[in-house]
Amino acid sequence: MAEKVLVVGGLLNVAYGLLLGLAIVRVRTAGAPATPRYLHAAHIGTFLQAAVLFGLVWAVRLSDLGSGWQQAAAWLVVIASGLVAVMDTFNWLTGVQDAFAEKSKAVPLGALAAIGDAVGVGILLVGVLKAL
């Protein structure tokens, strides 16, 4: 089940990244001299997150932990990837140039994502190391 969660999460990231690519085309053809920073970050970030999620399928396969732990880890990293996408999209739509300097209201989403990623990857790391 954890593998399926990671694969579906990865595919959702790819699909959202493609939609953001269409937004980039729309913005640029409307005459913008450059792609807005957080639109670019959200677009590229979703593809990077997808690659991480797909790669973590191998960690699940190697892990020696029970399926409950693996599923929890998978959900944590998938939810974290979604939070990052929402954070970057929010920053783009609200015209944020620097989330920290401007004290963006989306910064807490990034903090939650960092926690989810750290815990989820940590669980999988323990499972893989245990299996060695």
Side-chain angles (χ1 to χ4, degrees):
M1 178 65 169
E3 292 177 9
K4 291 178 182 179
V5 170
L6 291 167
V7 169
V8 170
L11 287 172
L12 288 172
N13 271 280
V14 169
Y16 190 58
L18 292 172
L19 289 174
L20 291 169
L22 294 174
I24 289 172
V25 170
R26 196 183 101 240
V27 165
R28 293 303 306 274
T29 57
T35 301
R37 177 181 182 179
Y38 284 101
L39 173 55
H40 188 256
H43 173 65
I44 299 300
T46 54
F47 292 121
L48 292 173
Q49 291 287 333
V52 168
L53 295 175
F54 292 142
L56 287 175
V57 169
W58 286 103
V60 168
R61 290 180 179 172
L62 293 172
S63 173
D64 210 14
L65 296 178
S67 64
W69 283 105
Q70 291 176 352
Q71 286 180 42
W75 278 109
L76 284 168
V77 295
V78 166
I79 291 169
S81 75
L83 289 172
V84 171
V86 169
M87 176 188 69
D88 287 340
T89 301
F90 177 83
N91 285 335
W92 160 54
L93 292 173
T94 57
V96 171
Q97 299 300 312
D98 183 336
F100 293 101
E102 298 174 37
K103 297 188 181 0
S104 167
K105 292 179 178 163
V107 168
L109 296 177
L112 287 173
I115 292 167
D117 272 334
V119 173
V121 170
I123 291 169
L124 292 174
L125 181 60
V126 167
V128 169
L129 292 175
K130 188 176 173 232
L132 293 178

